[in-house]
Amino acid sequence: MRKIAIPDKKYQYITDDNRFCDKNTAFLITKQNQKFTKNNCCCNINLDDIRSVFYIDEVKIIGITGTNGKTTTSSLIYSLLLDLGYKVALQGTRGFFINGKKVEKMSHTTPPILDTYRHIYQAVAEDCDFFVMEVSSHAIAQERIETLNFKLKVHTNITGDHLDFHQTMANYIAVKNSFFQDESQKIINIDDKNIRYNIKNSYTYSLENFATSKLLAYSIKDEVSGILSFGTETADFYSNLFGFFNLYNILASVLSVKVLTNKPLSEITAQVENFFGVEGRMEVVSFDPLIIVDFAHTPDGIKQVLTTFKTQKLITIFGAGGNRDKIKRGLMGKVAEELSHKIILTSDNPRCENPEDIIQDILTGINNIEKIEVQPDRYEAIKFGIDFILKQEDSQKYILLILGKGDEQYQYFCDKKILFDDREVVKKILDEKLNSQKE
């Protein structure tokens, strides 16, 4: 939405896009649009002119950033706060939610600042205590979070991604770390070797080091559970989530809610089991055969998913996004080769690149070509993976992992956008096989 109605002002609307200017509309100047002409708008304004209009300071804003874990951590913080009786809004990759209801469908991880202001206005209108938001590295670099006063900033991890935009890993790390240089309250994963932060008003969490909140014991068999500490308090938790990496997401979320509410630790951890995860993140689509869909699209993200199931035979389907960071492609291939029984390389969102060229880039990191099946058509790749498992005598020992797109519902090519949801494709293929067996 590029034009917003404003009550009780000399202008009726605000826009940050000069294509929507007219005599009743004010043009909001931001870091992103200040170089564009503001023709035909009634006046120019800045963010300070409208802070009070959108009640920006009437809700506590929590910002979560990191290469991996932003969506799960923000969603778990949102869930915990709701279960504790607070009114909460959530803005991020999955969309915009208020008090348990989806208000808008998925969009940018962090939208333009005017959209964030509008969302905060809606949250305040619904009496929300907290506004939880994902913060992308692009948004930090492009100052799409300017003027927001964060009650709490949360760090998950920093590994390689988006180097098409940031150019170098050093630049990417610097941008992420810049979010944590002020004196606001911060939640920091001190096991991350790339984090640099202002220690003032900082709380830390760890699985390996002395920290404000520490994991004292854990189990990751089937689901995850454990005992964590905060100061003199200890409490156990149980979660329906898969994977070692989700221990970090749980620690970050519980510590965040503890700092925000000062509720007893045991009261907070008791709510963890109510959270069943995020669509497209370690989502089980089929149990027989076992098929899991995940959004992992970086070398570290793929490694974290694959190591969760290292005792089983993994059939891994993935590709890489076109017109994006090429450096990570070979690294993704290398990780997949180390941890997979078989790899099926396919298309992700090719955009304006040739899918076969992208696959060749991934192959540069792979030595054992005998493990590889190349199928650029993603539908056929998934079908091949399912057929492969069903043909195995010990098929129960195999897991098919479909990575890269998670709960995305489209596939993007240079000249078209087609409906494509990995989860729906799996169900369609399995249904067809079941029906053919009945005939």
Side-chain angles (χ1 to χ4, degrees):
M1 185 181 296
R2 310 309 294 171
K3 192 170 180 176
I4 299 173
I6 298 295
D8 304 323
K9 282 285 184 180
K10 62 182 180 181
Y11 41 83
Q12 296 177 19
Y13 303 94
I14 295 176
T15 186
D16 58 358
D17 188 329
N18 60 3
R19 294 172 298 177
F20 294 91
C21 278
D22 58 43
K23 63 181 182 180
N24 297 316
T25 303
F27 186 82
L28 176 66
I29 299 175
T30 67
K31 298 287 185 181
Q32 290 301 292
N33 67 18
Q34 58 188 348
K35 64 183 179 181
F36 295 104
T37 305
K38 301 87 179 173
N39 295 332
N40 303 320
C41 271
C42 69
C43 62
N44 296 328
I45 59 174
N46 59 44
L47 289 165
D48 287 333
D49 295 326
I50 60 170
R51 288 182 62 85
S52 61
V53 175
F54 288 95
Y55 303 105
I56 297 301
D57 298 316
E58 299 298 314
V59 67
K60 297 179 180 69
I61 303 173
I62 301 102
I64 298 93
T65 196
T67 307
N68 300 308
K70 289 189 299 295
T71 301
T72 299
T73 300
S74 61
S75 298
L76 180 50
I77 292 172
Y78 173 70
S79 174
L80 292 172
L81 288 169
L82 285 176
D83 286 345
L84 289 168
Y86 295 96
K87 292 186 177 180
V88 196
L90 170 66
Q91 172 186 277
T93 308
R94 297 168 57 223
F96 180 50
F97 302 77
I98 298 179
N99 296 328
K101 295 181 180 179
K102 191 168 190 175
V103 179
E104 291 180 17
K105 62 182 181 180
M106 66 178 65
S107 181
H108 297 91
T109 301
T110 312
I113 188 64
L114 184 57
D115 285 327
T116 297
Y117 266 44
R118 175 173 57 85
H119 288 159
I120 291 174
Y121 178 82
Q122 291 174 264
V124 172
E126 295 291 335
D127 297 320
C128 287
D129 305 288
F130 300 99
F131 184 89
V132 184
M133 62 180 288
E134 295 181 52
V135 178
S136 68
S137 60
H138 290 72
I140 298 170
Q142 296 171 347
E143 299 186 65
R144 276 189 267 136
I145 52 173
E146 56 184 320
T147 74
L148 296 179
N149 292 325
F150 289 90
K151 177 67 175 177
L152 184 67
K153 296 180 175 182
V154 183
H155 156 254
T156 60
N157 51 66
I158 306 174
T159 61
D161 200 11
H162 303 305
L163 299 193
D164 54 303
F165 177 81
H166 298 288
Q167 300 302 311
T168 68
M169 187 64 183
N171 289 342
Y172 176 64
I173 292 171
V175 166
K176 285 288 193 186
N177 282 332
S178 70
F179 188 58
F180 300 103
Q181 298 311 307
D182 62 13
E183 295 184 358
S184 62
Q185 291 190 118
K186 296 171 285 290
I187 302 293
I188 303 294
N189 172 11
I190 59 167
D191 291 347
D192 180 6
K193 305 305 181 185
N194 290 318
I195 186 63
R196 302 291 182 272
Y197 62 99
N198 184 337
I199 62 172
K200 189 167 183 178
N201 294 320
S202 292
Y203 300 84
T204 57
Y205 65 99
S206 172
L207 271 67
E208 302 171 0
N209 300 288
F210 179 78
T212 312
S213 184
K214 184 83 168 63
L215 195 62
L216 303 178
Y218 67 87
S219 170
I220 54 173
K221 185 177 181 181
D222 298 324
E223 292 82 16
V224 299
S225 60
I227 303 171
L228 56 82
S229 67
F230 175 85
T232 59
E233 293 182 85
T234 61
D236 57 2
F237 66 87
Y238 170 84
S239 172
N240 294 285
L241 302 178
F242 284 107
F244 180 80
F245 60 91
N246 272 317
L247 292 170
Y248 280 103
N249 296 332
I250 292 167
L251 264 176
S253 302
V254 170
L255 179 56
S256 296
V257 174
K258 175 65 180 179
V259 169
L260 289 166
T261 69
N262 201 29
K263 294 274 190 182
L265 190 63
S266 59
E267 187 177 340
I268 298 169
T269 59
Q271 314 307 320
V272 171
E273 66 179 303
N274 298 332
F275 180 70
F276 286 87
V278 176
E279 289 186 352
R281 271 69 173 177
M282 297 291 273
E283 183 175 353
V284 178
V285 186
S286 165
F287 286 96
D288 187 18
L290 183 53
I291 303 175
I292 295 172
V293 168
D294 191 81
F295 189 62
H297 61 284
T298 66
D300 184 68
I302 291 175
K303 181 179 179 180
Q304 295 294 342
V305 171
L306 299 187
T307 53
T308 299
F309 306 103
K310 59 185 177 182
T311 60
Q312 289 158 291
K313 296 180 180 179
L314 306 180
I315 312 301
T316 307
I317 300 176
F318 74 101
N323 305 115
R324 296 293 187 268
D325 180 7
K326 292 186 177 183
I327 297 173
K328 70 181 181 182
R329 293 174 184 174
L331 298 174
M332 292 162 68
K334 184 175 186 295
V335 169
E337 179 187 12
E338 291 173 355
L339 298 169
S340 302
H341 178 77
K342 189 168 187 64
I343 301 168
I344 305 167
L345 295 180
T346 189
S347 298
D348 190 287
N349 291 316
R351 299 183 179 88
C352 291
E353 281 195 72
N354 184 330
E356 295 184 359
D357 290 342
I358 297 173
I359 290 172
Q360 286 303 313
D361 286 342
I362 297 172
L363 284 168
T364 61
I366 298 173
N367 294 315
N368 185 1
I369 302 303
E370 292 182 2
K371 278 190 175 185
I372 307 301
E373 177 73 22
V374 173
Q375 178 48 262
D377 185 306
R378 195 170 180 94
Y379 183 97
E380 293 300 323
I382 294 172
K383 186 174 183 295
F384 179 91
I386 292 172
D387 285 338
F388 182 88
I389 286 184
L390 293 177
K391 290 176 183 176
Q392 307 306 310
E393 291 184 3
D394 55 347
S395 60
Q396 73 279 359
K397 295 182 180 179
Y398 287 80
I399 300 176
L400 179 63
L401 297 171
I402 306 172
L403 308 181
K405 292 176 60 60
D407 60 342
E408 290 180 2
Q409 297 175 351
Y410 295 92
Q411 194 171 19
Y412 294 89
F413 297 84
C414 194
D415 57 347
K416 61 184 177 180
K417 175 177 111 172
I418 65 169
L419 280 170
F420 198 99
D421 185 323
D422 288 344
R423 301 164 301 175
E424 295 303 318
V425 168
V426 168
K427 292 172 186 176
K428 181 176 185 292
I429 293 170
L430 290 175
D431 285 345
E432 288 174 350
K433 291 187 175 297
L434 181 62
N435 290 333
S436 66
Q437 291 172 0
K438 291 178 179 178
E439 292 176 357

